[in-house]
Amino acid sequence: HRVGGSFSLRITRFLSRRFYIGTAGLIGLSGQDAPIAGESDVDVISAMVLGGHLIGGVAVPLGDRGQLRLEALVGGRVLLANLQSQEGVCVVNQTHTAGQWTVAGRVALDVYRSHHMSVGAYAGYEALQREAQGGLRVMVHTRSHDNQPTR
């Protein structure tokens, strides 16, 4: 019954051909079509996640087709949840917030589709919350991956 998605903006700077540092911001949304009657006393109507991280990593080139990335992320995230409950004949709406620090390690594979676009997948583990992470991504680069002028 849940649908959601997220948008992330990453800014990285290579310190050498392989090592990079950067920062990332995240906004994620999740909603529910309708409260599920009888499953709990409190229904989550919608939720938003805001996050930010510092990134450090190493990129291993895979020829001119892509790269393998190993990276560490340190930062935090805040969850904003709109909740609804029923007390007798009254419907109660509340907003709750919760924050947490994050420390994660990731491995990612990026495949170049053009000089300024790549697609990829990543998998990782968030150590403080003990949760696995993974996803697919489409990246647009302001600088060509091979430093070649765009044709």
Side-chain angles (χ1 to χ4, degrees), residues 26-102:
L26 166 78
I27 183 169
L29 301 172
S30 178
Q32 186 165 311
D33 295 336
I36 303 170
E39 287 195 10
S40 72
D41 294 336
V42 177
D43 293 310
V44 178
I45 302 304
S46 64
M48 179 187 312
V49 176
L50 302 171
H53 295 91
L54 297 175
I55 304 167
V58 60
V60 179
L62 302 174
D64 62 352
R65 304 300 294 153
Q67 64 184 348
L68 179 68
R69 291 180 183 247
L70 303 172
E71 57 188 27
L73 294 87
V74 176
R77 58 187 172 197
V78 175
L79 172 69
L80 307 165
N82 293 314
L83 308 176
Q84 188 175 75
S85 61
Q86 188 159 353
E87 295 176 10
V89 294
C90 296
V91 174
V92 178
N93 292 304
Q94 301 174 349
T95 300
H96 285 267
T97 60
Q100 56 189 207
W101 294 104
T102 59

Side-chain angles (χ1 to χ4, degrees), residues 2-151:
R2 288 213 176 275
V3 293
S6 66
F7 173 78
S8 177
L9 176 65
R10 290 172 55 117
I11 299 171
T12 56
R13 171 96 171 127
F14 275 82
L15 302 174
S16 68
R17 182 156 171 78
R18 297 195 182 191
F19 295 98
Y20 62 93
I21 59 172
T23 186
L26 166 78
I27 183 169
L29 301 172
S30 178
Q32 186 165 311
D33 295 336
I36 303 170
E39 287 195 10
S40 72
D41 294 336
V42 177
D43 293 310
V44 178
I45 302 304
S46 64
M48 179 187 312
V49 176
L50 302 171
H53 295 91
L54 297 175
I55 304 167
V58 60
V60 179
L62 302 174
D64 62 352
R65 304 300 294 153
Q67 64 184 348
L68 179 68
R69 291 180 183 247
L70 303 172
E71 57 188 27
L73 294 87
V74 176
R77 58 187 172 197
V78 175
L79 172 69
L80 307 165
N82 293 314
L83 308 176
Q84 188 175 75
S85 61
Q86 188 159 353
E87 295 176 10
V89 294
C90 296
V91 174
V92 178
N93 292 304
Q94 301 174 349
T95 300
H96 285 267
T97 60
Q100 56 189 207
W101 294 104
T102 59
V103 176
R106 287 186 183 166
V107 60
L109 177 64
D110 300 326
V111 177
Y112 305 131
R113 302 303 299 159
S114 72
H115 291 289
H116 294 279
M117 188 180 99
S118 62
V119 296
Y122 70 90
Y125 185 75
E126 202 291 317
L128 298 178
Q129 309 309 316
R130 294 187 173 106
E131 63 186 21
Q133 301 175 336
L136 302 174
R137 58 189 181 186
V138 175
M139 294 172 288
V140 177
H141 309 273
T142 58
R143 200 169 173 183
S144 174
H145 68 84
D146 57 3
N147 292 321
Q148 297 296 317
T150 304
R151 295 181 195 132

